[in-house]
Amino acid sequence: MKGKQLAAAICLAAVVVLAGCSGQEDGRTEKESSVSSGSGGGAAEGISGTSEEAGEDSGEEVPFVEGAYELADCIQLGDYRGLELTRASVEVTQEDVDSYIRSIATPEEVSDPQAEAQEGDTVNIAFEGRIDGETFQGGSSESYDLVLGSGRMIDGFEDGILGMKTGESRDLDLVFPENYQEASLQGQPVVFTITLNSIRRVPEITDAWVEESTGGEFSTAEDYRASIREGLIQNQEASAAYAMQQDAWNQIHEDSVFLQLPKELADKAMEQYDSDAESAAEAYGMELEDYLAAMNMTEDTYQEQREWYGRAAAESRLMLEALVQAEGLTEESPEYRAEVEELTEAYGVDEETLLSSYGEDSVWEYAMMQAVLDRILDQAVITEESSGTAE
């Protein structure tokens, strides 16, 4: 759904630390969002991914208010008309297109025994790591798949496989980084003995391959590349528009004054934060405690970010309501109706089903947020990054 979860739409300006990632397929922009997960594979591989800082306290001095609230008592809305924004340039090269095609193509086994492993290949390896001549836990595998150039392993590991042939073995003298996640291995010299079991490689992008891999949807590589290019351009344009929305929202937030925050809004957001964290942990097959440890996050840090998130979400909701009021938007406004219709088309359901499935409030938040942002961008002074001309 425009790359964002419907239930979390109100948190456009909040830092979502443990949320899932949006997904894209075949270079085309998707509306539904998806959660991507991965698995580790040995001591040479580090857990990638860092949580964003919660930032400065978003309002420790701002008191909470219980029960019903009046907007005028909670927020003094900043100026939102005529904001100065920059739209990022959109450029897709032929290499971008081919790189994307390679990333979604299924690698095929290389049968030539003289073929050498090269960057981009998916190799299957057996490896054994030794420190001071002794093996260590997690440092060995009989069969491990690795994309060369992915950066999943410690420095020198993947480069050391380049040029190897199937069946060849090689010793690599490496050093674990000082900030490696396993403290006992930090800065330790290590020797990895690697045997290359097999090589899989994405085939050349030919007409025959395109027709077969797309099930006849495209018959030439030229047409397929053109379709992928169009999808990548749409994705870049969507990203540029979203970046402007974020910039606009941040500018308005900085210029607004928050007098008090409805506790009900903050509590609702913190419940969503907990739910997202648990879902993220489940996606990795972990308990929440283990997931937080893997993210280098203590329980105290988690609670601090959870509370910050609640305040940020409450502020965002107040801003949204104030902007809706200032612009005179209602559920009958053309912009709002257009967003709801787009949602029903994206999910293939009628409006009644949409509201019952996701909740009237969540649908209202998402559709009204988009309607408000459209109004704000219509009134903004936008400079194109590439040309430097204003519109």
Side-chain angles (χ1 to χ4, degrees):
M1 183 179 304
K2 293 187 177 179
K4 301 184 287 297
Q5 294 177 320
L6 179 59
I10 190 59
C11 299
L12 174 67
V15 175
V16 185
V17 178
L18 302 176
C21 303
S22 62
Q24 298 166 349
E25 296 180 2
D26 297 331
R28 298 173 175 83
T29 302
E30 295 291 336
K31 290 185 177 296
E32 283 89 345
S33 61
S34 61
V35 177
S36 59
S37 62
S39 59
E45 181 179 357
I47 296 177
S48 62
T50 58
S51 61
E52 295 187 53
E53 294 296 331
E56 298 179 359
D57 193 327
S58 61
E60 184 179 359
E61 72 284 0
V62 180
F64 283 115
V65 58
E66 300 275 1
Y69 60 91
E70 295 291 335
L71 274 178
D73 296 332
C74 296
I75 181 174
Q76 294 175 357
L77 185 64
D79 188 12
Y80 64 91
R81 296 181 174 89
L83 298 178
E84 295 184 0
L85 305 172
T86 300
R87 179 166 26 227
S89 60
V90 174
E91 181 180 1
V92 176
T93 66
Q94 192 63 53
E95 175 55 32
D96 293 333
V97 173
D98 287 347
S99 177
Y100 183 81
I101 293 174
R102 288 193 295 269
S103 73
I104 63 175
T106 301
E108 299 177 357
E109 186 105 14
V110 176
S111 57
D112 181 3
Q114 298 304 311
E116 298 181 349
Q118 60 190 37
E119 188 166 335
D121 286 348
T122 299
V123 296
N124 182 272
I125 58 173
F127 64 88
E128 181 180 75
R130 299 183 305 280
I131 295 177
D132 294 331
E134 300 292 332
T135 59
F136 53 94
Q137 185 176 5
S140 302
S141 175
E142 291 298 320
S143 178
Y144 181 69
D145 284 338
L146 174 66
V147 178
L148 299 182
S150 64
R152 291 173 62 182
M153 300 303 206
I154 63 174
D155 287 347
F157 192 99
E158 294 174 33
D159 288 344
I161 301 173
L162 297 176
M164 290 181 66
K165 300 176 182 178
T166 300
E168 182 180 350
S169 295
R170 181 179 293 178
D171 286 344
L172 303 179
D173 292 312
L174 306 176
V175 177
F176 280 103
E178 294 292 342
N179 62 347
Y180 192 69
Q181 76 271 12
E182 174 55 51
S184 64
L185 299 177
Q186 292 175 353
Q188 291 289 323
V190 58
V191 177
F192 280 105
T193 299
I194 298 173
T195 299
L196 182 58
N197 296 328
S198 66
I199 301 172
R200 299 199 306 277
R201 183 174 297 164
V202 174
E204 183 182 355
I205 307 171
T206 63
D207 291 348
W209 178 83
V210 165
E211 186 167 14
E212 180 180 356
S213 63
T214 64
E217 182 181 357
F218 298 95
S219 58
T220 68
E222 181 180 0
D223 289 345
Y224 185 52
R225 284 190 172 100
S227 175
I228 295 296
R229 177 182 176 82
E230 180 181 355
L232 292 175
I233 289 174
Q234 290 176 357
N235 287 341
Q236 284 195 15
E237 290 175 342
S239 295
Y242 183 58
M244 285 198 300
Q245 289 180 341
Q246 288 182 307
D247 186 15
W249 195 261
N250 289 338
Q251 288 189 44
I252 300 169
H253 182 272
E254 290 174 4
D255 201 32
S256 297
V257 178
F258 296 94
L259 308 173
Q260 57 186 14
L261 301 178
K263 190 173 185 301
E264 179 182 357
L265 297 180
D267 288 344
K268 177 184 175 183
M270 286 189 286
E271 290 175 5
Q272 181 66 49
Y273 188 90
D274 289 334
S275 177
D276 288 345
E278 291 167 2
S279 296
E282 183 179 351
Y284 281 90
M286 297 180 180
E287 296 295 330
L288 179 58
E289 181 180 357
D290 296 329
Y291 180 74
L292 295 180
M295 296 284 287
N296 295 320
M297 185 182 296
T298 65
E299 178 63 27
D300 287 343
T301 302
Y302 175 82
Q303 291 301 327
E304 289 173 4
Q305 293 190 347
R306 177 180 182 273
E307 292 171 10
W308 174 87
Y309 183 88
R311 284 185 173 274
E315 291 177 358
S316 291
R317 175 64 185 238
L318 289 175
M319 273 180 54
L320 176 59
E321 292 183 4
L323 288 164
V324 168
Q325 185 180 85
E327 283 297 307
L329 286 165
T330 70
E331 293 182 16
E332 301 304 319
S333 298
E335 299 96 328
Y336 180 85
R337 296 307 313 161
E339 290 296 337
V340 172
E341 290 174 9
E342 188 174 344
L343 291 175
T344 60
E345 292 177 4
Y347 282 90
V349 298
D350 58 29
E351 186 172 339
E352 182 179 353
T353 302
L354 180 75
L355 294 174
S356 62
S357 298
Y358 294 96
E360 293 184 12
D361 194 53
S362 290
V363 172
W364 183 90
E365 287 176 345
Y366 178 84
M368 199 60 82
M369 176 72 80
Q370 297 303 311
V372 161
L373 288 168
D374 286 345
R375 287 273 185 98
I376 292 172
L377 264 61
D378 284 344
Q379 301 172 53
V381 178
I382 300 176
T383 299
E384 301 292 343
E385 186 178 64
S386 57
S387 64
T389 59
E391 67 177 25

